[in-house]
Amino acid sequence: NDPMNPPVAMPKKKQSNVPPWKRNKKPQKKASLTQGDNNNVPPWKRKGSTRKVEVASNGGGGDVGPMDNFEVQSSPRKEVVGKDADDPGPDPEILSGPRPTFGGFRDKSEAKTFAGDRGGDAEDAELLAELRALSMKSASNDRFAGGDDDEEMRTLPTSQPKPKRKPITQKTTAAAGRNSGELPPWKQKGTTKKVGTSQPTITKAPILAAQGLKRIELPPPTSSQPVGPVDDIVVSEENLSEYVDSKNWKLRKASYDVLNDVMASKTRGETAANNIHGQDIHQNLDSLLPTMLKDSNASALDSALRLAFGYLDFCEGGCNPEQVTALATSIVTGPALAATRPSSAKLTDCTLMKMMEVSRGEPSSIHTVVELLLTHGITSRKPKVVMKSVAMILEAAKTFGAATLPLSKVSSSAPKMLSHVNGTVRDNGIQILAEICRAVGSKDALSNVIEAMKSAQVAELDQHLSKQPDALPPSVGLRYVEESSSTNALDDLQAGSEADAAQRLAARKAVNLFEALRGSEYKEKMKQVKWSEKVAALDILLKCGGEKPYKLAQPSSSANYVPLISELKKLFKHTHFAVKSKTIAAINMICEGVGEKLFAHLKPMLSILLNLCKDKKVTKASQNGLDVLFGNIIGFSHLIDKEDGLPPFLNEKKEKSTIVRQISLSFLLRCIERCDSAGPRGYLDEELASNVANLCVDKTKDSDSGVRKEAIAALKGLLNYGDEGIQAVAMDSVGKLERDNPRAYKSLMSSHSQSSGSNRANASPPRRAESRPPTSSRQRTTPEKIPATAASTTSRNKATPKRRSNLPSSFNNSA
């Protein structure tokens, strides 16, 4: 468009000078091809051809190849017209040369122009026969059939279409099984997988059934063949020692199974009486079995538990206390008690129950197992172990009877079970207490445990007892121990509780009260005028004293109790009853924790507490203080002192309050009932008993009927005391009433005759404090000849405060 530069026509370039890839392409004209030209094009390049498959009949016999009866014919292509003259077309040399066939091979019918030594057909009949033999196993076993000279191989081979098979669905099979009344294999119960004969299996010895126990239902052994090789190693009785502690669990399990087979063969037809030596089974079986029960593999552990069950039932080591302790420790502290495998759990239960059943000697096996469950089981961090331990204790109580259990250990561990976070553990703990109450015949023996329980738990306990007031007979008795009665169970429970309490107290460290008070606010709060601050200060003092029963450091230069006692005595002048009650509790702590070394400073507390009994708001606290004071600080010799003892408070002329006189005599009765367990100064001899009896006889003349009633009750306590010498002395004093007070004498003699008859029926020796020295010349009878009365036992139980229960009257009557 520039007028100054008009366009100039450029000459055209010749096509010969342009590279071929830049030349202009001319439109190709369609040209017709003859049949001969179409044959020169390879079949896969021919366009527009349709294949026709014709099946030629083969009249000859023999094998027919897959391509012998097929011939591919191509339809002629359309001719292309208007072919460009510049197109040179196919090379005439190529057209004149031999035509290639399928696969790039030449036709065999053409003449061969090669004249060398290596010319000719590459045919080998032997090789072809071998290839055909190898191909018979494959899916295309007929691919080598047919001759190599077939003309049809020139054309493109096609595969023969396979006829479609009707699929057999799973529904048809399942429907047929339902119609025939048979279940499919995967739904049939009890079916086991078939194991080939080439794979070795290890047999399991059958578990031995315990007497009276439920039969253990385990799956049957997979095979009855003998023990086969494990990792090309055959475990037998000869080489057992080499593989019993192997690191390969399969070898360990095979060793345990061999021992089970030996055990079964040795005990076949024998009675379970623990009369077989462990060395008869294996030379080191006694020492190896505790280690086997700690096996970490579940399958090997099952075999070890089976072996332990038979060992406990037949071998002597099952009754050896040391061996039982080792076996129970391995089960309780090892993986057996925490096993989640059902077979392992069943075997563990049965082994522990068998261990309890064959109890012989002291300590008893059932005590050993239950104590281990209480020590390691209910304190475990695994909830499953805690639940299993409590369930085993409950099952042992039902199977062997609660009287056979270590009742003192179970009752002392009851608070842990009742306060556990798991509800099942709490429920089982309540059921265990119910079994103990049924075995003992009363709830009084568990009063300390029941007082600490929640009201809902107490109601549940009473509900269990109302449904079943009497204990059921044990389903399985101990093999070598006679059945225990309720009286023996009660005595064992009381004795065991006292022994456990004394053992725990001796193991505790004494508390230095003054060192504990140094970092507290005791002094600051005690200086306050407000009564609540003083009560808070006394609470701090009680908290620093530690747990009950108290154990404080003895008086020394670093522990001076005199200023503290003087400060506490001044608080009795306070007007508020809460301050007085807390002060009495603090004095009780010092009396119980220190003892008789503070006699000179705490003896005046007798008169102080008796005077405080006049106040109804602190009467109960004062009576508790009197009970703690007796035995720890004062004894009977101080009670009968005419100046500082009870006589001034029993004198009707000096003490006008009938409440104080009644409380003094009731306190004297409690001292008679609990003198054996009150403390080191709670002893009672014949001389002291005579003075106490004379004091009570004089008070039968009191003008108040309530005082006379308490005096007669104190005399009954002396007459029913578990010492014949003291009973004789009391009888001499009571004889004075035959003339002065015949009515009281008749009442006392009737009660004494009834109690003496019951004593002869069931006599049990009373327990004495070891520090009580005899002060009478009369020789006491031996403990075997000392009869104990049921009334004395009942009266001793009255000393401890009881919790009111809604237990039905039928239970009390049955007890």
Side-chain angles (χ1 to χ4, degrees), residues 29-82:
K29 298 180 181 180
K30 294 183 180 181
S32 61
L33 294 177
T34 61
Q35 184 70 21
D37 295 336
N38 194 18
N39 291 335
N40 294 331
V41 181
W44 56 87
K45 292 185 179 181
R46 298 174 185 175
K47 296 181 180 180
S49 62
T50 58
R51 296 175 182 177
K52 296 180 181 181
V53 181
E54 296 181 1
V55 180
S57 61
N58 189 355
D63 297 336
V64 180
M67 302 302 294
D68 292 345
N69 298 332
F70 293 92
E71 181 180 357
V72 179
Q73 295 182 358
S74 301
S75 61
R77 295 181 60 187
K78 296 181 180 180
E79 296 182 358
V80 180
V81 294

Side-chain angles (χ1 to χ4, degrees), residues 526-547:
M526 187 61 71
K527 293 178 182 178
Q528 301 295 327
V529 181
K530 196 172 181 181
W531 67 268
S532 59
E533 296 294 333
K534 293 185 180 296
V535 170
L538 293 172
D539 287 334
I540 294 174
L541 179 62
L542 293 173
K543 186 177 181 180
C544 292
E547 60 176 321

